[in-house]
Amino acid sequence: MEDRLPGRPRDPETERRILDVALAELARDGYSRMTLDSVAAAAGVSKPTIYRRWSSKADLATAAIETLRLLEPKVDHGSTVGDLTGTVENFIRSLMRPNGMSLIGTVLAEEGHTPELLRLFRERLVAPRRQTLRTILEQAKKRGELRPDVSLDAAVAMLVGAVYARYLASSNVPPRFARDVVEIVWAGIRKL
Amino acid sequence: MEDRLPGRPRDPETERRILDVALAELARDGYSRMTLDSVAAAAGVSKPTIYRRWSSKADLATAAIETLRLLEPKVDHGSTVGDLTGTVENFIRSLMRPNGMSLIGTVLAEEGHTPELLRLFRERLVAPRRQTLRTILEQAKKRGELRPDVSLDAAVAMLVGAVYARYLASSNVPPRFARDVVEIVWAGIRKL
Amino acid sequence: MEDRLPGRPRDPETERRILDVALAELARDGYSRMTLDSVAAAAGVSKPTIYRRWSSKADLATAAIETLRLLEPKVDHGSTVGDLTGTVENFIRSLMRPNGMSLIGTVLAEEGHTPELLRLFRERLVAPRRQTLRTILEQAKKRGELRPDVSLDAAVAMLVGAVYARYLASSNVPPRFARDVVEIVWAGIRKL
Amino acid sequence: MEDRLPGRPRDPETERRILDVALAELARDGYSRMTLDSVAAAAGVSKPTIYRRWSSKADLATAAIETLRLLEPKVDHGSTVGDLTGTVENFIRSLMRPNGMSLIGTVLAEEGHTPELLRLFRERLVAPRRQTLRTILEQAKKRGELRPDVSLDAAVAMLVGAVYARYLASSNVPPRFARDVVEIVWAGIRKL
DNA sequence: CATGAATGAGCTTTCATTCAT
DNA sequence: AATGAATGAAAGCTCATTCAT
């Protein structure tokens, strides 16, 4: 009669909570410091409850990263420069969230041992952000605003990468950094 | 003959060997996966031999990073663009060495737990490289080649950061990447 | 066939299937390696379905052994030697079935922890087999074929035990082993 | 100068103690119930102390069995029957030691999972005992006491196996069992 | 000084058993 | 009655660190 599945149903909250905690610990402690004991404790479940859902620590970490998604406000200032600046500012804000950079760190550090982490990170976070920027640039190009020979790939890398480099230099990015960067890029790619 | 101090002298070779091995394992496995057992084994010494010199694992890792030094050929092509391109190319080469990026990853990942790693990394590697680029740009500025209002800090970050971003997107940087980046930056900062 | 009593579990198939699987895993993996998870999976039921019928793992294992029954063809060659040989050969065949000896092993190994296993094993398998042999010998005795003072208990133990000992020596029993054994026993007990 | 090895020397007591404890737990609990935690606790050492010497649980169990050795008094009653009886009586005594039979059980039960256990058990215990009996019989044969066609392999198996079979029937072997068995075997193999 | 031995604390993973639907 | 979910309690193994020679 009922379309209820047999057996005790899973609490859908639980899954979400475990993943949230896992992601937080992954970012805070790094993959190899993160322990299932502490994930379980922080999520208020037992370890087998985790193992029922994911087959291993790597699997859990992977799933946690998989939940990441670029949920940033669409930027549309009507101008290419405004859009680029808004996007880079969003990016800075997300990197500046607690442990935002550590997550990237652990994902890179684990490339040799748990490569899925980096793969998923690229797929879920890096690629979408690059795509956002690339789309802005491609539309500018279509409108004839850009020099035709310029490398959009390089331009995108510079916009994003400047933030990484700045962080690596000092863990702190000044407010006008986005504008400074976009200004140089824009001057470097626009048609004169 | 020799004015040797009393007691058995430390072998300076040993010290060097331990640090080399430690740095290699740090880059390959990351800080928390690196084990003193395997460092000791690979260096051909016992663990107390390590502990006699450095007080803890963190201390050893820190010392290993401290040995890093920017040992890159000075670039002097006589032109600003040539110098910038040469420097970025050097940088790419050093990042592309095995586990070059993993080391950065682990240093970032450990920011919350072993912040000396990042501090030293900045001091020994990041800062010198930035300084090299900055000097090139400052001299160009002195020669009146640059727009006066441009942010050199942003320009440096872009030159270096583009490579990080590119690697994070695909672990592989195409040969002409350095030229593409420098071209945009140059067009973006030079006086018209 | 079965005269179903009232209050019996609904699906007798299920019960049978669980017991079969349990017995197979018991023989293959031994008692303490056998897991209810895998019994449940192999039987196509859930664990509570097992617990509803048997109160514990030990209870299930016990019940599984309880299903064992000496189902060997009656041997009747008309001669004492022929009957003994046939019986020992049957025994060898059953021990040589996959994991035949492991089951005995686990039952012995668990004597200190789960003694019911050994008790039931004796009752269901050991005793009937001994009885078969003893009956053959008692009839021979009645017919006056045996020396009167001979220990039938020892004779039975030797016939059966030779096979255990041989297996323990090499996991493999040569074809003529049964005949060799019976020959010695017979020469040792018959009236001259 | 000194022929002392470098480093802290191992306490030779420790090794012995660990193996003794391991063997006792192996016999008492069986291989898969035996835990390194409890071996370590009972031996008064930490787990790494065990792992320094043996690479795994299986390795330790194997080593424990390897220490077993037939240390039974040589039997020499001057007569074949006396020697056989003495040997079987020794065997019974050793099986009747606490958990004597459980050890055999676990070794058999583990045949499919940890076959080294059975292999070593055969090599260290089963084979020597068989050899003792076989030598007695071969000398009797040399002296012309035996029927020439009789299978010594079967005779040996019967002498040993009768005890297994008796134990499997009732965990208890009556005092005159050895004599009963030897009597039948002897009557069965001697030259008339 | 250098070595091999020892250890406490943890890590990932598994299992018999019980709960909630 | 049957299911899938949940759990406490290990188990095997490893690691940074210290001890004893």
Side-chain angles (χ1 to χ4, degrees):
Chain A
M1 304 289 121
E2 295 278 353
D3 58 325
R4 244 189 314 124
L5 293 170
R8 173 176 174 176
R10 275 188 197 175
D11 182 350
E13 265 308 293
T14 300
E15 187 144 342
R16 178 95 239 138
R17 219 164 53 244
I18 295 171
L19 287 173
D20 285 353
V21 168
L23 189 59
E25 304 223 337
L26 191 59
R28 172 160 51 85
D29 300 332
Y31 176 77
S32 55
R33 275 186 204 271
M34 156 185 152
T35 78
L36 292 201
D37 258 315
S38 88
V39 170
V45 299
S46 69
K47 278 186 285 182
T49 297
I50 298 180
Y51 276 95
R52 171 168 288 279
R53 292 167 169 77
W54 303 278
S55 67
S56 66
K57 177 181 172 178
D59 202 22
L60 172 63
T62 300
I65 288 188
E66 220 166 343
T67 66
L68 282 177
R69 227 160 287 253
L70 212 50
L71 285 181
E72 286 168 14
K74 270 279 169 281
V75 227
D76 187 357
H77 294 288
S79 77
T80 303
V81 164
D83 287 357
L84 291 176
T85 308
T87 305
V88 173
E89 276 169 347
N90 278 345
F91 175 45
I92 291 175
R93 261 192 301 280
S94 82
L95 261 198
M96 288 302 139
R97 277 192 301 234
N99 305 115
M101 202 65 177
S102 304
L103 183 58
I104 300 184
T106 205
V107 146
L108 285 171
E110 287 292 318
E111 188 178 4
H113 291 275
T114 321
E116 313 91 274
L117 259 39
L118 180 50
R119 196 177 52 68
L120 273 167
F121 189 81
R122 280 177 173 149
E123 184 180 317
R124 303 282 160 158
L125 279 194
V126 177
R129 179 130 42 209
R130 287 172 62 88
Q131 191 49 53
T132 301
L133 289 167
R134 184 168 258 276
T135 302
I136 296 171
L137 293 176
E138 274 166 354
Q139 282 169 351
K141 189 167 192 177
K142 230 177 263 167
R143 293 193 298 266
E145 299 173 7
L146 305 191
R147 283 160 39 213
D149 56 322
V150 98
S151 162
L152 297 192
D153 180 61
V156 167
M158 288 158 67
L159 288 162
V160 173
V163 184
Y164 296 138
R166 190 59 173 73
Y167 186 96
L168 203 55
S170 80
S171 287
N172 143 301
V173 180
R176 51 178 326 255
F177 190 73
R179 268 174 294 150
D180 289 346
V181 166
V182 170
E183 194 209 286
I184 295 177
V185 169
W186 181 242
I189 63 177
R190 77 163 190 276
K191 186 172 280 172
L192 296 179
Chain B
M1 307 277 123
E2 302 274 353
D3 54 334
R4 278 204 258 128
L5 294 171
R8 179 167 173 183
R10 280 191 196 167
D11 184 350
E13 252 316 288
T14 301
E15 189 147 339
R16 176 97 237 137
R17 216 165 56 244
I18 295 170
L19 288 173
D20 285 352
V21 168
L23 188 59
E25 304 224 338
L26 192 58
R28 174 161 48 85
D29 299 331
Y31 177 76
S32 56
R33 276 187 205 271
M34 159 185 145
T35 77
L36 291 201
D37 262 313
S38 91
V39 170
V45 300
S46 68
K47 277 188 289 183
T49 298
I50 298 179
Y51 274 95
R52 178 164 292 281
R53 290 166 167 80
W54 301 278
S55 68
S56 68
K57 178 181 174 179
D59 200 21
L60 171 63
T62 301
I65 287 188
E66 216 165 346
T67 67
L68 280 176
R69 226 158 288 251
L70 210 50
L71 285 182
E72 285 168 14
K74 272 276 169 288
V75 217
D76 187 357
H77 293 285
S79 76
T80 302
V81 164
D83 288 356
L84 293 176
T85 309
T87 304
V88 174
E89 276 169 347
N90 277 345
F91 175 46
I92 291 176
R93 261 193 301 281
S94 82
L95 259 200
M96 288 300 139
R97 277 193 302 236
N99 305 116
M101 201 68 178
S102 304
L103 183 58
I104 300 184
T106 206
V107 147
L108 285 170
E110 287 293 317
E111 189 177 4
H113 291 274
T114 322
E116 312 92 274
L117 257 39
L118 180 51
R119 195 178 50 69
L120 276 168
F121 190 80
R122 280 176 174 149
E123 184 179 317
R124 305 278 160 161
L125 280 193
V126 177
R129 181 133 39 211
R130 287 172 62 88
Q131 192 49 55
T132 300
L133 290 166
R134 184 168 259 277
T135 302
I136 295 171
L137 292 176
E138 276 167 351
Q139 284 171 349
K141 190 167 191 177
K142 230 177 266 168
R143 292 194 299 268
E145 296 172 10
L146 305 191
R147 282 159 39 211
D149 57 324
V150 98
S151 161
L152 296 193
D153 180 61
V156 166
M158 289 159 68
L159 288 163
V160 173
V163 183
Y164 296 138
R166 183 60 229 232
Y167 185 96
L168 203 55
S170 81
S171 286
N172 144 302
V173 179
R176 52 178 323 253
F177 189 73
R179 267 175 295 150
D180 288 346
V181 167
V182 171
E183 196 210 284
I184 295 177
V185 169
W186 183 243
I189 63 177
R190 76 165 193 276
K191 185 171 285 172
L192 297 180
Chain C
M1 274 329 230
E2 305 272 352
D3 50 334
R4 288 197 245 143
L5 297 169
R8 229 169 169 183
R10 280 240 211 83
D11 186 355
E13 250 320 287
T14 300
E15 188 147 340
R16 176 97 237 138
R17 216 165 56 245
I18 295 171
L19 288 173
D20 285 352
V21 168
L23 187 59
E25 304 224 338
L26 191 58
R28 173 159 51 83
D29 299 332
Y31 177 76
S32 57
R33 277 186 202 272
M34 159 183 145
T35 76
L36 292 202
D37 261 312
S38 89
V39 169
V45 300
S46 68
K47 278 188 289 182
T49 298
I50 297 180
Y51 275 94
R52 176 165 293 281
R53 290 166 167 78
W54 300 279
S55 68
S56 68
K57 179 181 172 177
D59 201 22
L60 171 63
T62 300
I65 287 189
E66 215 166 346
T67 66
L68 280 176
R69 225 160 289 250
L70 206 52
L71 285 181
E72 285 167 16
K74 273 278 172 283
V75 234
D76 187 357
H77 293 287
S79 75
T80 303
V81 164
D83 287 357
L84 291 175
T85 308
T87 304
V88 173
E89 276 169 348
N90 277 346
F91 175 44
I92 291 176
R93 261 193 301 279
S94 82
L95 260 199
M96 288 300 140
R97 277 192 302 238
N99 306 116
M101 200 68 177
S102 304
L103 183 58
I104 299 184
T106 206
V107 147
L108 284 170
E110 288 293 319
E111 188 178 4
H113 290 274
T114 323
E116 313 91 277
L117 259 39
L118 181 51
R119 194 178 52 68
L120 276 167
F121 189 80
R122 281 176 173 148
E123 184 180 317
R124 303 282 160 158
L125 279 193
V126 176
R129 180 132 40 211
R130 287 171 63 88
Q131 192 49 54
T132 301
L133 288 167
R134 184 169 259 276
T135 303
I136 296 172
L137 292 176
E138 275 166 351
Q139 284 171 349
K141 189 166 191 177
K142 230 177 265 167
R143 291 195 298 268
E145 297 172 9
L146 306 191
R147 281 160 40 211
D149 56 322
V150 99
S151 161
L152 295 193
D153 180 60
V156 165
M158 289 158 68
L159 288 162
V160 173
V163 183
Y164 296 139
R166 181 61 228 232
Y167 186 97
L168 203 55
S170 81
S171 288
N172 144 301
V173 179
R176 53 180 322 254
F177 190 73
R179 268 173 296 150
D180 288 345
V181 166
V182 171
E183 196 209 286
I184 295 176
V185 169
W186 181 242
I189 61 178
R190 78 166 189 273
K191 185 170 283 172
L192 296 180
Chain D
M1 305 280 125
E2 296 277 351
D3 59 325
R4 241 186 320 120
L5 293 171
R8 172 175 177 178
R10 274 187 198 177
D11 182 350
E13 266 307 294
T14 301
E15 188 144 342
R16 178 95 238 138
R17 218 164 53 244
I18 295 170
L19 287 173
D20 284 352
V21 168
L23 189 58
E25 305 222 338
L26 191 59
R28 173 159 50 85
D29 300 332
Y31 177 77
S32 55
R33 275 186 205 271
M34 154 184 152
T35 80
L36 292 201
D37 261 314
S38 89
V39 170
V45 299
S46 69
K47 275 187 287 181
T49 296
I50 298 180
Y51 275 97
R52 171 169 289 278
R53 291 165 170 78
W54 301 279
S55 67
S56 66
K57 177 182 173 180
D59 203 21
L60 171 63
T62 300
I65 288 187
E66 218 165 345
T67 65
L68 281 177
R69 225 162 287 255
L70 211 48
L71 285 182
E72 287 168 14
K74 270 279 167 284
V75 212
D76 187 357
H77 294 286
S79 77
T80 303
V81 164
D83 288 357
L84 292 176
T85 308
T87 305
V88 173
E89 275 168 349
N90 278 345
F91 174 45
I92 291 175
R93 261 192 301 279
S94 82
L95 260 199
M96 287 302 139
R97 278 192 302 234
N99 304 117
M101 200 67 177
S102 304
L103 183 59
I104 299 184
T106 204
V107 146
L108 285 171
E110 286 292 318
E111 188 177 5
H113 291 275
T114 321
E116 312 92 275
L117 260 39
L118 180 51
R119 196 178 51 67
L120 273 167
F121 189 80
R122 281 176 173 151
E123 185 180 315
R124 303 281 158 160
L125 279 194
V126 177
R129 180 130 42 210
R130 286 173 62 89
Q131 192 49 53
T132 300
L133 289 167
R134 184 169 259 276
T135 302
I136 296 171
L137 292 176
E138 275 166 353
Q139 283 171 349
K141 189 167 192 178
K142 230 177 265 167
R143 292 194 298 266
E145 298 173 9
L146 306 191
R147 281 160 40 212
D149 56 322
V150 98
S151 162
L152 297 192
D153 181 62
V156 166
M158 287 158 69
L159 288 162
V160 173
V163 183
Y164 296 138
R166 190 57 173 73
Y167 186 96
L168 203 56
S170 80
S171 286
N172 144 302
V173 179
R176 52 180 323 256
F177 190 72
R179 268 174 296 150
D180 289 346
V181 166
V182 171
E183 195 209 285
I184 295 177
V185 169
W186 181 243
I189 63 178
R190 76 166 191 275
K191 186 172 282 172
L192 297 179

